[in-house]
Amino acid sequence: MPIARDDVAHLARLSRLALAEDELDHLAAQLDVIIAAVARVQEVAADGIPPTSHAVPLVNVFREDTLVPCLDAETVLSQAPAVEQQRFRVPRILAEE
Amino acid sequence: MDTELTRLTAAEIAAAIRGGEVSAAQVTGAHLARIEAVEPRVRAFLHVAADQARAAAAAVDQRRAAGDQLGPLAGVPLALKDVFTTIDMPTTCGSAILDGWCPPYDATITRRLRDAGVVILGKTNMDEFAMGSSTENSAFGPSHNPWDLGRVPGGSSGGSAAAVAAYEAPLGIGTDTGGSIRQPGAVCGVVGVKPTYGGNSRYGVVAFASSLDTPGPLARTVLDAALLHEVMSGHDPCDATSVDAPVPPVVAAARQADVSGMTIGVVPEFTGDGVQAGVLARFTEAVELLESLGAKVTEVSCPHFSYALPAYYLIAPSEASSNLARFDAMRYGLRVGDDGTRSAEEVMALTRARGFGAEVKRRIMLGTYALSSGYYDAYYGKAQQVRTLVIRDFEAAFERVDVLVSPTTPTTAFPLGERVDDPMAMYLADLFTIPSDLAGNAALSVPCGLAPEDGLPVGLQIMAPVLADDRMYRVGAAVEAALDARRGYPLLNDAKGLA
Amino acid sequence: MSSTSTATRLVAYDEAVSRYDPLIGLETHVELSTRTKLFCGCPATFGGEPNTHLCPVCLGLPGSLPVPNRAAIEYTIRIGLALNCSIAEWCRFARKNYFYPDMPKNFQISQYDEPLCTDGWLDVTLDEAEAAPYGTGPHTFRVGIERVHLEEDTGKSQHMGGATGRIHGADYSLVDYNRAGIPLVEIVTKPVEGTGQLAPAAAHAYVKELRDLLRALGVSDVRMEEGSLRSDVNTSLSPRGSGRWGTRTETKNVNSLRSVERAVQYEIERQAAVLDAGERVIQETRHFHEDSGITTAGRSKEEAQDYRYFPEPDLVPLAPPRDWVEQIRASLPELPAIRRARLQEAWGITAAEMTDIRNAGALDLVEQTIAAGATPADARKWWLNELARRANDTGTELTSLPITPADVARIAALVGSGALNDKLARQVIEGVLAGEGSPDEVVAGRGLAVVSDDAALAAAVDEAIAANPDVADKIRVGKVAAVGALVGAVMKATREQADASRVRELILARLTQS
């Protein structure tokens, strides 16, 4: 099923990508082809086959509850686009979360 | 003298330094000179760290003078893919969004290299965030194949492969997610290795697809790759997915290089249509060679391998869409459009639109799509089931044979610009390498000759079971030795691009 | 008052619950008191200079990787076991993907369809005092626990430039990531049916019981005012007899126990008015306002959030071995409700009296004072009255007062033996709190002994009689009740150090003899 341009615009919004109209058109066409190709996975009979999220099976990897030295604030903030009162200054946030 | 030093293998350099025949400073100097000479044509490096390299070399020389025991690669220069964090060099991942970013910490592998006395010459070019098969997706321009400067060096670790093939460094490190070490290795005529997943620490490796990314070595000989493999690999408590098991004895295997009595499986799904004639020819000869060396060859069908590519192009972009969400202009990196009136959401979106290239955007949106509510089961979920089936194919195959073989990639190096506007054509370069990334087992590419129609290198892919990396080194070394003997001179002597 | 253009209609509470059945649910987030964060070795402490508790992992720098804190897993299992949950044999972390500046990775590592603990319950009791305002007797509810899972906390933003400090109207924000990565346990109840008119009290009591439980387990500081315990409340109404559940709203920013109760009450009143008007309750997130006790709609989102959950690829599954789980179970302390019931019986006090002790936060103190030799009555008396008052006056917690249960037991013993009376005892308390030493040292230091020597008292008694002839006359003719005034005079004259009952005896003896 081809992917609609509106859906692609929606995906761009979800991914925080401000695409120009022509870029959107171009990417939509390409995504359509790619999605059709990757949809081939649906041809595989996989009833009862468990999904694999980790190829090499490990379980229960932990660390102990011990302190490790931190970075200092100067280092943390040194490459921030904007800093104020030792914090990251970010533009106004629209949505509550 | 300089030229001679750059023609040595890593093993030879290390021995010469240990033996006092040459200093680490001389070796580093020779390679920096080579870089200066060829970089305008190869463009393998994004950042050459000459001062740091000289200091690291000097430190090795001091230790030697003090009578310290030097490790197996002390003083050997290396080209490091720009996806590894380095505290004293920028790390861009080939992306404009990280242009100028200097990480406050070293990757575990970076630290291991430094501790071993390896001299990091600089950071190499790559497809942006490791997404691509040609380095054409780099925000800073592509690298060029030393065999033919009008062709791609493969990707995404194309910079490291080109650097090694161009004699700018005897060793390189890349990351392999869908084939990004093996494929550039194959098209540049060098050895490229994807170790068992989890055998190499991902701490400090900027993530593309977390369950697939595997750091690994590139070198001009199988033994050199094995030496680097042993230095860089091993469990890391900072990486929860790293395997807590001894590093397989790859150096011993590379030295042993004897395949008599081994069983070798040819995957028929990978020897059909779509493979360039000359590639298939060289592959077939390599298989015959293995037989003549005492291996037993048989056909082993892996029926789900043909679904591996679509599964990969669902799993990898899905993980990437999440991994790349952190690049949002708030804490580091590029910030665009913050004029005091725009919202954080707008600044994020403008920055990401400007800072990411087309391929990255495609994969982010594809991944977002595959994970979306309503689509998850049919796409991402299904792909993870295909992954299970691919793993089972490998397990069944390895009950019958010691290793599997195939061509590394369907064609030789393609021309720059040929596939840039055709994503699906570009993705096909990974057709044979992807299954091992999905299954996490070990695989390497070793040069097995030149395709007659274009005189460009062909790679033989050898796949081994999880944690049996040594097996593929054994087979690879055997092929290399036999072919080198037959040829009588190093393969790369035929690389005319830099002549 | 309200700044909305249309005033919100409400139905009076009693009226609302006479026609509608409330259904409530609670989602509580608890910050664990482990030493370090969930996925790295940075300190998990509250406060600190901004952006000083960070490393590549909790800052989410490119290339960083999480590694789970074993203690956080253990604490979560402990909570699950105390809530009677099943502990998963195998489960995973999952990524919850959304963009927000206080999230360094723009995804939160949490758990989705495979929580560590599931399917438990917590009994919550409203005693007489708590149920009385609603006109019913004591009631116990069994609150089902749907799940308990583990996730990482986010950073904190401060919104600058607006009038209210909230997001709406702010010009920009400042972000501190110290809190990012602190382990957070999310406890979600099943819908709680059948609370009827007690719904607000039940919600309050649940959070209170949960808080006490978590404190007893030693897994969190559980300070709502510091944010280490945060609760969201879901409320819906069903018309009585309809058999259908209504649409629920989620109320956030409920920052105290009292607010939990008020939020539920307000939502019931508001939703009843909506339903009465024939309209539909909108499924939304609402914000509770402490000052006014109302809830307002959050900014409506264009589309419901799709978090695109998938299993966290940087972490391997959790498969807690059963012997580890049993070890944790064996180490659980006595749970608060059981302990309260046991002590209530042991001390011979009523449920209401136990509630008073609990509400004052004095249970441990009272228990320890009794262990040091005091009677339950005395222990209760001193902690809940004089000491609670002093704690209140100085704005400190009872447990922070510089006086020990042993001290209090000693004071009670001195009063019991007659060496001190209540008024003197209060002075001794004052002295101990002021750092003058132990109770005995204060008594000696201030010279606070009860005077019971008759000879010493005789003069004061005579003076009092002489100074109050009318009162003395009344007593002589049998109006014994009037002796109080003379006792008071003697007490005053002896600076309260007389043994009041002895003084009374002496006065009566003097006046009824002659």
Side-chain angles (χ1 to χ4, degrees), chain B residues 31-46:
Chain B
H31 285 86
L32 288 172
R34 174 68 179 173
I35 288 171
E36 225 187 287
V38 303
E39 262 300 281
R41 288 173 285 163
V42 178
R43 310 191 74 82
F45 284 86
L46 290 174

Side-chain angles (χ1 to χ4, degrees), chain C residues 65-79:
Chain C
L65 293 174
V67 183
N69 180 342
R70 183 200 303 273
I73 310 288
E74 184 181 317
Y75 283 21
T76 309
I77 293 174
R78 202 188 292 181
I79 293 171

Side-chain angles (χ1 to χ4, degrees), chain B residues 12 83 90 110 117 162 230 258 298-299 344 347 392 395 418 451 480 491:
Chain B
E12 290 165 342
V83 76
T110 304
E230 283 192 2
D258 173 16
T298 182
E299 209 178 69
V347 169
R392 290 182 182 179
E395 284 170 350
E418 181 184 271
E480 176 191 68
L491 176 75

Side-chain angles (χ1 to χ4, degrees), chain C residues 136-218:
Chain C
T136 72
H139 209 105
T140 298
F141 299 102
R142 174 157 288 194
V143 176
I145 303 295
E146 180 72 44
R147 51 186 285 151
V148 177
H149 76 248
L150 185 53
E151 60 188 27
E152 54 180 348
D153 208 345
T154 64
K156 265 183 109 158
S157 345
Q158 190 180 350
H159 310 301
M160 313 291 284
T164 62
R166 290 188 58 203
I167 274 189
H168 194 44
D171 293 330
Y172 63 96
S173 300
L174 299 179
V175 190
D176 171 16
Y177 293 103
N178 278 356
R179 198 181 68 177
I182 288 185
L184 211 54
V185 166
E186 184 173 326
I187 303 167
V188 182
T189 69
K190 299 185 182 173
V192 188
E193 297 180 60
T195 54
Q197 70 202 109
L198 293 173
H204 174 134
Y206 166 77
V207 179
K208 185 161 103 173
E209 189 67 49
L210 185 62
R211 184 198 61 184
D212 288 354
L213 177 70
L214 295 166
R215 196 178 278 142
L217 292 175

